[in-house]
Amino acid sequence: TEEDEVPVGSRVVAGGADSEVEGVEKEDLPSQPPPTGAKPKEVPVAIGGTASGERCLFPFLFLGKEYSDCTTEGRRDGRLWCATTYDYEHDKKWGFCETEEQAEQRRLVAEAEEQYQATIKLINSTSRKSQKKELYEHLLKVAGMGHTKAMEKVAYAMLFGDYMPQNVPQAKELFEKLALEGSPKAQMALGFLYAAGLGVNSSQAKALVYYTFGALGGNLVAHMILGYRYWGGVGVPQSCESALTHYRLVANHVASDVSLTGGSAVQRIRLLDELENSGSPSGMLEEDLIQYYQFLAEKGDVQAQVGLGQLHLHGGRGVEQNHQRAFEYFNQAANAGNTHAMAFLGKMYSEGSEFLPQNNETALIYFKKASEQGNPVGQSGLGMAYLYGRGVPVNYDMALKYFQKAAEQGWVDGQLQLGTMYYNGIGVKRDYKQALKFFNLASQAGHILAFYNLAQMHATGTGVMRSCHTAVELFKNVCERGRWSERLMMAYSSFKDGDMDSALVQYLLLAEQGYEVAQSNVAFILDQSESFIDNETYPRALLHWTRAAAQGYTVARIKLGDYHFYGYGTDVDYESAVIHYRLASEQQHSAQAMFNLGYMHEKGLGIKQDIHLAKRFYDMAAEASPDAQVPVFLALCKLGLIYTVQYLQELNLKELLSQVDLDQLLGPEWDLYLMTVIALLLGTVIAYRQRQHQLPPPSCRP
């Protein structure tokens, strides 16, 4: 998909772009537009034949048909030839356009391309790992024939350990070879290797050069990495405007790929959270839970049918996208009269897919059925039909009416489309404040196009004060929902399968792209396990905790405090530890950070020793989290003991006792009173003991 020739700043997507990804391969990124003013094609000189050395003439006539280029027609060996005069039949003047070696080379290239396309088609159509492994073995052979795209796929498979044994040095060799041929994908990959220090000595300068070349070649991942680097000042001077340029370019492509159904869901699973809360499945649905829902759906439970339909329509939560299964579940629920299922069937027909051909008329029938019963999804679908003239004449008033009905019920698509109509002045007077209001509402439900449209408004200062920082954060959010986000789930699967090295490399690339969850996961893996990155494990983990903390992750900020406290990957620095704990305490109200600050005040580490401040921080930690109450109670008991000891040490006990006159304090006969009290206590104990002995023993039943 190429960029539209419109000013980037003013572009707002209405929603449901109908763009198709070119080629069969799903992972291929959009190519750059062809350079303008290309040189005119050179006319070849005939080799051999009856007119060797003469220039070909185009067009020429052969068997009653004109040819404006060399052809293989009429030859069994498949070699390209041309005529040097217009009428070949009359003059018989011809020659080859290529040598035998060139012909053989062209045949091999064509054969490699044919095999590559066939293999990629099979890879994309199967979900079986064993089958994919076999297909990647075949792809390796195609790469051996010099096919560039096959070499790229194989190199990435070796780098990540996707369906092939992980082999970073071999992947590096392939990337270097491809980079010399000008492959943007390979240049980006080499940038990543130098940035992460995988198979090479880490060099941020070389990484930046390769990323820049990759971005100039049109690689979107390289653009995204550069956007993050300029945003965070990683290896380059911090520049919001440069970050905006890179992120906006990527966001344009991501937004144009978003369909009416919203695309697949992105699962962001934190490994640290999963370890600490092992009972919760981190958003993943357990296999037995899915089977339970399937059982309910088969028994005719309409809600289970609709839920499973949506799950298969969007994918995510450990379930692969499957339009056929989604259609079957929606169909069952629609037949039972469920309006939500009818509306989603309308959506599927309106969008079309490999399984379900696009059909506006059928979509309209389902939308109308759902809308008549007040379903907001159906109302929004009807609004789209009237807005774009899908199966009905274009009618902006009707579109506005149905979008308003859907938006009133809180349906995100209705809110988004209303925002678009007000922004562009379609059927209503242009009103940027109303547009902003509806885009904000849609963004609260997480709609990617709402974020995109808000980013455009903040980037250009349309209807709002221009804010580069806000625009970059919104565009970054859009970029992180691109196709590459699927790698998060692949990395997680590798981690669950015990393949730490594969998971680490995948998370490292996503961390370079600015995914905070990937940065914290990289740091967690380096922190927890022995990986093949055995040199500088803690400094690398510290780097990624720092980047994750800069993006607002509280646990990462506390980890930074811990690393400086214990001297992991850096020198022991209590002052820095205090700074990080204080930031986590003040900005994110972290109970753990408050507890740690209490401990440091108690011990006087990095700050002045102050038992009163220590108690205050312990109390704050107990208020901030119920989980902190037990450790806080123990810490306060210890603090109380220390305080008592200190108080007693400050008092001179011998001197105090010598000054006390008991006769004056308790009276002249205080010793008699004391002996009487002791005797009474002793008598009570003896009487109690005798009574215990006189009680009959408990009866034992046979």
Side-chain angles (χ1 to χ4, degrees):
T1 54
E2 293 176 4
E3 277 297 336
D4 294 334
E5 294 297 316
V6 295
V8 173
S10 63
R11 182 177 174 209
V12 169
V13 170
D18 293 322
S19 58
E20 281 277 323
V21 179
E22 290 176 5
V24 182
E25 187 185 0
K26 287 178 185 172
E27 291 178 32
D28 277 349
L29 294 171
S31 57
Q32 287 288 85
T36 52
K39 291 180 182 178
K41 194 172 179 183
E42 202 173 310
V43 178
V45 176
I47 302 165
T50 58
S52 186
E54 293 180 27
R55 287 202 175 275
C56 297
L57 180 75
F58 299 117
F60 64 87
L61 192 68
F62 174 62
L63 297 177
K65 184 182 172 185
E66 281 192 345
Y67 292 88
S68 55
D69 209 341
C70 298
T71 181
T72 58
E73 288 296 318
R75 293 202 63 84
R76 291 178 184 174
D77 58 5
R79 280 183 73 180
L80 290 168
W81 67 278
C82 68
T84 56
T85 60
Y86 176 71
D87 192 344
Y88 168 79
E89 295 298 329
H90 182 267
D91 302 322
K92 302 288 185 188
K93 301 277 279 181
W94 70 280
F96 292 111
C97 298
E98 58 189 358
T99 61
E100 283 188 35
E101 290 78 12
Q102 287 171 331
E104 180 62 20
Q105 183 64 31
R106 186 175 53 77
R107 189 188 64 77
L108 289 171
V109 168
E111 187 186 329
E113 176 64 20
E114 193 180 322
Q115 286 190 35
Y116 171 77
Q117 291 293 349
T119 310
I120 288 298
K121 201 168 186 177
L122 288 168
I123 287 171
N124 287 337
S125 64
T126 183
S127 56
R128 284 171 53 204
K129 273 191 177 181
S130 57
Q131 203 171 347
K132 282 197 175 187
K133 281 181 180 178
E134 288 172 19
L135 290 165
Y136 267 88
E137 284 298 320
H138 184 67
L139 207 59
L140 184 61
K141 291 174 187 172
V142 180
M145 295 163 76
H147 192 281
T148 304
K149 285 189 175 180
M151 286 166 75
E152 287 173 350
K153 288 282 280 185
V154 164
Y156 273 101
M158 287 176 174
L159 177 64
F160 297 132
D162 286 346
Y163 313 111
M164 294 183 85
Q166 192 174 20
N167 191 332
V168 176
Q170 201 173 337
K172 176 184 158 273
E173 282 178 28
L174 276 172
F175 285 135
E176 284 174 338
K177 188 178 175 184
L178 285 162
L180 290 172
E181 294 172 14
S183 161
K185 272 190 174 182
Q187 286 161 340
M188 185 279 291
L190 281 174
F192 164 61
L193 293 179
Y194 278 106
L198 296 174
V200 290
N201 290 327
S202 179
S203 167
Q204 297 305 318
K206 283 185 178 179
L208 187 62
V209 169
Y210 278 118
Y211 284 148
T212 306
F213 278 124
L216 289 170
N219 185 274
L220 296 183
V221 174
H223 273 296
M224 194 171 163
I225 291 169
L226 287 174
Y228 172 68
R229 289 194 158 222
Y230 280 111
W231 183 62
V234 179
V236 290
Q238 199 165 9
S239 168
C240 184
E241 294 299 333
S242 298
L244 181 64
T245 304
H246 288 290
Y247 272 132
R248 179 152 54 184
L249 192 146
V250 181
N252 287 340
H253 282 277
V254 174
S256 68
D257 269 353
V258 175
S259 64
L260 186 63
T261 50
S264 0
V266 180
Q267 291 296 121
R268 298 170 191 253
I269 297 170
R270 266 187 223 290
L271 303 180
L272 181 63
D273 290 356
E274 193 172 71
L275 178 77
E276 289 178 356
N277 310 307
S278 52
S280 68
S282 300
M284 296 284 286
L285 283 176
E286 299 291 336
E287 187 62 36
D288 53 355
L289 192 59
I290 294 169
Q291 286 176 357
Y292 173 67
Y293 282 127
Q294 286 172 342
F295 170 75
L296 288 178
E298 284 166 16
K299 291 288 181 186
D301 188 308
V302 175
Q303 290 305 318
Q305 289 165 352
V306 174
L308 284 170
Q310 286 179 292
L311 203 58
H312 284 94
L313 180 65
H314 299 116
R317 301 192 75 181
V319 177
E320 284 196 9
Q321 207 169 9
N322 186 327
H323 282 203
Q324 185 176 348
R325 297 290 296 278
F327 178 79
E328 287 167 3
Y329 284 123
F330 285 142
N331 213 21
Q332 287 171 17
N335 290 337
N338 184 279
T339 56
H340 224 57
M342 291 174 195
F344 273 100
L345 281 174
K347 267 191 163 196
M348 290 187 75
Y349 274 110
S350 180
E351 279 290 296
S353 64
E354 286 179 16
F355 164 72
L356 198 67
Q358 202 269 347
N359 189 321
N360 285 331
E361 285 71 25
T362 313
L364 207 61
I365 291 166
Y366 281 114
F367 283 144
K368 277 181 178 171
K369 275 184 184 177
S371 177
E372 282 164 7
Q373 296 180 56
N375 184 278
V377 187
Q379 289 164 347
S380 178
L382 270 184
M384 290 292 284
Y386 281 112
L387 182 65
Y388 293 108
R390 294 175 182 168
V392 288
V394 172
N395 187 328
Y396 296 139
D397 292 336
M398 291 294 284
L400 188 72
K401 175 188 148 189
Y402 280 114
F403 287 144
Q404 282 172 336
K405 282 184 176 181
E408 280 165 13
Q409 295 189 63
W411 180 239
V412 61
D413 283 344
Q415 294 163 344
L416 177 76
Q417 300 305 332
L418 269 183
T420 306
M421 290 184 83
Y422 278 113
Y423 182 91
N424 294 315
I426 300 170
V428 287
K429 190 182 174 185
R430 184 170 288 187
D431 186 338
Y432 292 131
K433 282 189 177 178
Q434 284 291 318
L436 191 70
K437 171 193 161 185
F438 285 113
F439 287 150
N440 274 321
L441 284 170
S443 71
Q444 286 167 20
H447 201 296
I448 185 170
L449 291 177
F451 286 120
Y452 176 78
N453 295 344
L454 283 172
Q456 292 287 25
M457 292 182 82
H458 281 95
T460 55
T462 308
V464 286
M465 283 285 288
R466 186 180 188 273
S467 169
C468 176
H469 184 77
T470 307
V472 167
E473 288 195 337
L474 288 164
F475 275 135
K476 182 176 182 286
N477 192 314
V478 174
C479 294
E480 289 182 0
R481 305 272 284 275
R483 286 196 303 271
W484 35 81
S485 61
E486 293 168 12
R487 178 68 59 190
L488 281 167
M489 280 310 299
M490 294 170 78
Y492 178 72
S493 298
S494 298
F495 177 80
K496 293 299 278 184
D497 293 342
D499 192 348
M500 294 298 167
D501 293 345
S502 173
L504 183 59
V505 174
Q506 292 178 80
Y507 277 132
L508 273 166
L509 178 58
L510 291 161
E512 278 288 296
Q513 287 174 251
Y515 285 90
E516 179 272 305
V517 69
Q519 291 165 349
S520 54
N521 285 350
V522 165
F524 172 80
I525 292 172
L526 290 170
D527 206 14
Q528 295 288 313
S529 60
E530 293 286 324
S531 70
F532 66 94
I533 304 180
D534 47 7
N535 60 325
E536 301 182 336
T537 303
Y538 280 127
R540 285 169 186 266
L542 180 66
L543 172 74
H544 285 91
W545 284 130
T546 307
R547 290 182 183 176
Q551 295 200 57
Y553 183 39
T554 312
V555 176
R557 183 65 68 191
I558 295 166
K559 283 281 186 184
L560 285 178
D562 294 347
Y563 271 51
H564 284 98
F565 185 91
Y566 294 110
Y568 294 155
T570 182
D571 297 330
V572 172
D573 185 347
Y574 295 133
E575 286 82 1
S576 293
V578 168
I579 290 167
H580 288 299
Y581 290 144
R582 192 160 280 153
L583 279 169
S585 164
E586 290 171 2
Q587 293 175 2
Q588 287 119 0
H589 307 290
S590 163
Q592 179 69 61
M594 290 168 188
F595 186 90
N596 292 354
L597 280 170
Y599 179 80
M600 294 185 85
H601 272 296
E602 180 190 320
K603 296 290 183 184
L605 301 170
I607 35 179
K608 188 182 174 184
Q609 189 173 20
D610 189 326
I611 287 176
H612 301 289
L613 270 177
K615 182 181 183 307
R616 182 179 159 214
F617 276 109
Y618 284 141
D619 288 340
M620 284 165 64
E623 284 172 22
S625 170
D627 295 340
Q629 286 174 359
V630 173
V632 163
F633 173 74
L634 295 172
L636 287 173
C637 288
K638 178 187 162 195
L639 203 61
L641 185 64
I642 292 167
Y643 182 75
T644 306
V645 169
Q646 279 185 356
Y647 179 75
L648 291 173
Q649 281 175 345
E650 285 170 11
L651 291 171
N652 194 330
L653 205 60
K654 282 184 181 177
E655 194 179 314
L656 190 70
L657 289 171
S658 66
Q659 289 174 359
V660 175
D661 187 350
L662 292 174
D663 286 343
Q664 191 179 350
L665 193 69
L666 300 173
E669 296 175 350
W670 65 269
D671 50 345
L672 292 173
Y673 299 143
L674 183 64
M675 286 171 68
T676 306
V677 169
I678 292 169
L680 284 168
L681 283 171
L682 193 63
T684 305
V685 170
I686 292 166
Y688 177 76
R689 297 273 297 182
Q690 283 178 344
R691 188 168 174 275
Q692 286 288 95
H693 285 299
Q694 287 169 4
L695 287 171
S699 59
C700 297
R701 291 181 182 179

